[in-house]
Amino acid sequence: MADANTRRRLTSRAARTAATVKEGAHTEPARSAGPEPLWTLFRVVFALSALSWGGLALMAQLELHYVIRERRVTQVQYSDFVALSWMTPGAVGCSVAVQVGYALRGRIGACIAGIAAVLPFFCTMTALATFYQASFIHTLAAPGLIDHFAVVLAVLIGITGYRQTRVLVHEPLEWAAAALACIVLLTIRGTASFVLLLTAAFLAGWLASPARGGKLEISLGPMDKLFALAVLALIALFATPLPPEYASRLLWPRLAGAGMTLFGGGFSALPVLKALFETPEVGMSTREFTLAFALSPASPGPLLNVIPFLGYLVHGWAGAVTATLSMFVPSGMLIVFARRHLHRLEANARFEHGMRVLRASTTAFLLTAVVHIGEHVALAPAHLVTAAFALVCLARFKMPVYAVYAIVAATYCAAHLLGYI
């Protein structure tokens, strides 16, 4: 009898162990061959970024390599990386890459991964800006072709806005925040409106939260407090109306502050960057600004790959480097800061409710971008055909954006050679 009981206990223990191992196979890394070498981390992230058109593509490739193939990051950890990237401002794909680097090699790993994620599209877009006066760029920059590119871009943003609205906007308060944000962005011009809008949306969600009580427990060291103050100062500089001469001189710090307000992916950046760059003081025309976004799909990386291009048009190579640093370094530091502290805030129901309303209001940035593009494109039959074609290709057949641009460009050039344009 004792032997039978012993066998049952051993069998039960073995079953529990097997179940634990089976369950943990999806949550624990199987490989523990030491820390990831920094050169390997740089090489892998650089290669993945160079082959990723769009931030979502980079996120998918990072998951495939580090979660599925190498198993250096668990699926649960990676899901947390993605969720936190959507909750904080900046380019989502680059933020995920920074978090992967931070998880593998700490702060130096975050820095290496961030550089590797940004470098491919920085080189490509700066090269396109360098040859801005070349004949093939002028062909791409033909006013008629740019209008068709703008139509494709508007359709792409509209599809993204529709999808984000379905995911992010559900409750009546969220719908109200999104509608009010649309009205504000379409009627009030100025950088201060962006910051005030996001702040008001978060406060509305915080105050309307059904949860009550609970304290936000955050312990910040001296360096963390200094960084938080620097972020607030950059946001205040971006939001404050300045005289024209100061607005031009402080363009790069204000760009860094603008990066702290960009939630919901790169498409929300269009109205923000338009308010910064398309001004008499900076001297960038509507055509140049639209060209930068139209050329974005020709380069790997997120839609924010336009930053080096815009910087180069303003101040050459120095402008391209400074603009890139201003946009991506603060957001990269912020995601590391958030990685260390925001998990404590996520447990607070009121904070999470405020973030949900804030994210719902960011869908208005996409609608505003579509309206701004439509203001500069004539309502012509050819443009409607392009819009219908882009809608079918992007929404129905899931074609890559650069492929749609290539077909539109080839069709336009053929029509031009045949004398139809």
Side-chain angles (χ1 to χ4, degrees):
M1 182 69 67
D3 290 340
N5 291 334
T6 302
R7 284 196 298 270
R8 281 196 296 268
R9 286 196 300 268
L10 291 176
T11 303
S12 177
R13 182 181 302 175
R16 289 195 301 268
T17 303
T20 303
V21 171
K22 183 178 180 181
E23 180 181 358
H26 300 284
T27 58
E28 294 296 333
R31 178 175 297 184
S32 57
E36 178 91 334
L38 293 178
W39 167 245
T40 302
L41 176 64
F42 175 85
R43 176 175 53 81
V44 169
V45 176
F46 180 89
L48 296 181
S49 179
L51 297 175
S52 300
W53 270 259
L56 296 179
L58 176 58
M59 291 161 57
Q61 297 224 57
L62 287 170
E63 181 178 10
L64 179 64
H65 182 82
Y66 283 110
V67 178
I68 299 175
R69 291 177 181 170
E70 295 295 320
R71 289 185 287 177
R72 287 188 173 271
V73 178
T74 69
Q75 188 66 62
V76 174
Q77 286 176 319
Y78 194 81
S79 298
D80 289 343
F81 295 166
V82 174
L84 183 57
S85 296
W86 282 111
M87 291 177 62
T88 53
V92 179
C94 294
S95 296
V96 172
V98 169
Q99 291 184 81
V100 170
Y102 183 76
L104 296 178
R105 291 300 303 268
R107 294 183 180 180
I108 184 64
C111 181
I112 293 296
I115 294 174
V118 171
L119 195 57
F121 67 78
F122 168 81
C123 295
T124 304
M125 292 301 286
T126 305
L128 290 175
T130 303
F131 295 100
Y132 176 64
Q133 300 298 332
S135 58
F136 77 96
I137 295 294
H138 277 284
T139 300
L140 290 175
L145 182 57
I146 285 295
D147 286 343
H148 286 279
F149 280 174
V151 170
V152 176
L153 181 63
V155 171
L156 177 61
I157 297 175
I159 294 173
T160 304
Y162 171 74
R163 291 172 178 169
Q164 286 198 12
T165 300
R166 292 187 62 184
V167 173
L168 299 177
V169 185
H170 300 289
E171 299 179 357
L173 179 60
E174 295 169 356
W175 280 107
L180 184 60
C182 289
I183 296 173
V184 171
L185 292 175
L186 291 174
T187 56
I188 301 177
R189 302 296 174 89
T191 56
S193 61
F194 303 127
V195 177
L196 293 176
L197 176 61
L198 295 175
T199 303
F202 176 80
L203 290 177
W206 173 277
L207 296 174
S209 173
R212 291 292 183 268
K215 296 181 179 180
L216 292 177
E217 297 181 359
I218 304 178
S219 178
L220 300 179
M223 294 302 297
D224 290 335
K225 293 179 181 178
L226 184 61
F227 174 73
L229 290 175
V231 169
L232 293 176
L234 290 174
I235 295 175
L237 181 63
F238 166 66
T240 303
L242 298 175
E245 60 273 13
Y246 290 104
S248 178
R249 293 176 184 175
L250 297 174
L251 175 62
W252 308 127
R254 299 185 77 215
L255 177 62
M260 299 294 98
T261 67
L262 298 180
F263 290 83
F267 288 127
S268 62
L270 194 148
V272 177
L273 296 179
K274 187 180 184 69
L276 278 178
F277 285 94
E278 198 177 310
T279 62
E281 298 79 31
V282 176
M284 185 171 296
S285 66
T286 300
R287 181 170 173 269
E288 291 174 330
F289 184 83
T290 305
L291 173 64
F293 275 88
L295 292 178
S296 173
S299 169
L303 188 67
L304 286 176
N305 61 13
V306 300
I307 294 297
F309 194 99
L310 297 174
Y312 187 92
L313 294 185
V314 176
H315 286 145
W317 273 92
V321 174
T322 307
T324 304
L325 294 176
S326 299
M327 173 59 69
F328 293 100
V329 170
S331 61
M333 296 174 65
L334 181 63
I335 196 67
V336 173
F337 177 86
R339 180 77 263 157
R340 295 168 54 206
H341 298 288
L342 198 59
H343 66 280
R344 301 176 184 174
L345 300 178
E346 292 174 348
N348 187 283
R350 301 190 72 180
F351 179 85
E352 174 59 24
H353 195 265
M355 288 301 299
R356 279 176 23 213
V357 178
L358 184 149
R359 288 192 292 266
S361 67
T362 61
T363 59
F365 284 75
L366 304 178
L367 175 62
T368 304
V370 174
V371 172
H372 284 325
I373 293 175
E375 291 175 348
H376 301 286
V377 178
L379 187 62
H383 295 155
L384 295 178
V385 172
T386 299
F389 172 75
L391 182 62
V392 172
C393 290
L394 297 173
R396 179 67 179 85
F397 296 107
K398 315 295 184 187
M399 289 180 60
V401 183
Y402 59 86
V404 179
Y405 273 105
I407 296 173
V408 170
T411 304
Y412 179 88
C413 292
H416 183 74
L417 291 175
L418 295 174
Y420 291 103
I421 298 179

